[in-house]
Amino acid sequence: EEQLVESGGGVVQPGGSLRLSCAASGFTFEAFAMHWVRQAPGKGLEWVSLITGDGGATYYADSVKGRFTISRDNSKNSLYLQMSSLRTEDTALYYCVKRGFAYWGQGALVTVSS
Amino acid sequence: AIQMTQSPSSLSASVGDRVTITCRASQGIRNDLGWYQQKPGKAPKLLIYTASTLHTGVPSRFSGSGSGTDFTLTISSLQPEDFATYYCLQDYNYPHTFGQGTKLEIK
């Protein structure tokens, strides 16, 4: 069974940093691009970033470009999102999503607040 | 970035009704569009990809159509479990963009 489990969420002050992780299982991780999608409390979905299967290409939403870095470790079947210069508007539930959008994790909550 | 305009933002309907939700892209996206259903406290679920292909296990009362800039999601006969929020997503180019969502409520 394909499974995605996020971790690393928490409360951080504005301007701070946080790293999210996503542990993948049940499929050949290195063969698939992976996304991060977020959802602010009570709001809609926002696509955040994608990394190709070999990690050779990355893409970002304009709202996070230059502040967030997506990466992966295929030897550990893990996806990461390094978030820096965090703003209050980055407060959201962050989902790890497999290419094709058929498989989503349960989400990791990031709260940016002083 | 491509803008996805979804309408209506909310909709009240009854069990058995036929419902249509639309998404309009600010530029042509071929058929690179998916539809998602989200219930409170849950991750979104894929319903339809490439505009009209039903994802495995999704009931046949759901259907999608469109190409280019205009797309529709139709639920032919609403069931109680269909009351949820629906989103479209373009994956034609980066950044991918979601519509604003349509909250489908019981009348």
Side-chain angles (χ1 to χ4, degrees):
Chain A
E1 179 190 1
E2 302 192 29
Q3 194 170 13
L4 299 166
V5 179
E6 300 93 338
S7 60
V11 180
V12 60
Q13 292 187 336
S17 298
L18 202 62
R19 189 176 88 151
L20 300 181
S21 299
C22 171
S25 60
F27 63 98
T28 305
F29 182 68
E30 63 186 3
F32 293 91
M34 296 293 296
H35 304 265
W36 287 100
V37 173
R38 69 183 181 183
Q39 187 168 36
K43 303 297 184 183
L45 300 168
E46 181 185 15
W47 180 86
V48 173
S49 184
L50 172 133
I51 186 167
T52 54
D54 63 0
T58 58
Y59 304 88
Y60 297 93
D62 291 343
S63 58
V64 306
K65 198 175 294 182
R67 301 187 299 121
F68 289 13
T69 302
I70 191 171
S71 63
R72 64 193 297 159
D73 185 338
N74 288 341
S75 69
K76 296 182 178 178
N77 287 353
S78 293
L79 175 72
Y80 306 102
L81 187 67
Q82 177 68 49
M83 303 181 290
S84 60
S85 301
L86 282 161
R87 306 166 179 168
T88 55
E89 56 264 36
D90 295 317
T91 294
L93 188 62
Y94 285 75
Y95 292 104
C96 165
V97 189
K98 182 188 171 192
R99 186 196 78 193
F101 295 94
Y103 293 93
W104 297 61
Q106 84 289 349
L109 183 61
V110 173
T111 303
V112 184
S113 173
S114 54
Chain B
I2 296 174
Q3 305 300 315
M4 301 301 297
T5 303
Q6 188 173 337
S7 62
S9 56
S10 64
L11 177 58
S12 293
S14 301
V15 173
D17 283 354
R18 180 184 180 90
V19 165
T20 298
I21 298 168
T22 66
C23 257
R24 174 165 289 176
S26 58
Q27 66 183 75
I29 59 170
R30 300 182 308 194
N31 66 342
D32 295 329
L33 182 114
W35 290 98
Y36 301 82
Q37 177 194 67
Q38 187 179 34
K39 296 183 178 178
K42 300 293 187 182
K45 290 186 175 180
L46 174 64
L47 297 175
I48 288 169
Y49 59 96
T50 56
S52 60
T53 305
L54 208 61
H55 180 54
T56 304
V58 175
S60 59
R61 63 181 180 272
F62 291 92
S63 64
S65 65
S67 183
T69 60
D70 294 309
F71 302 86
T72 60
L73 171 69
T74 300
I75 310 172
S76 60
S77 178
L78 275 173
Q79 298 303 301
E81 61 268 29
D82 299 337
F83 292 94
T85 301
Y86 293 84
Y87 295 92
C88 62
L89 168 69
Q90 71 81 14
D91 58 357
Y92 171 75
N93 69 1
Y94 299 104
H96 292 347
T97 42
F98 285 92
Q100 306 96 310
T102 296
K103 186 172 185 179
L104 180 52
E105 298 176 306
I106 301 173
K107 186 183 288 185

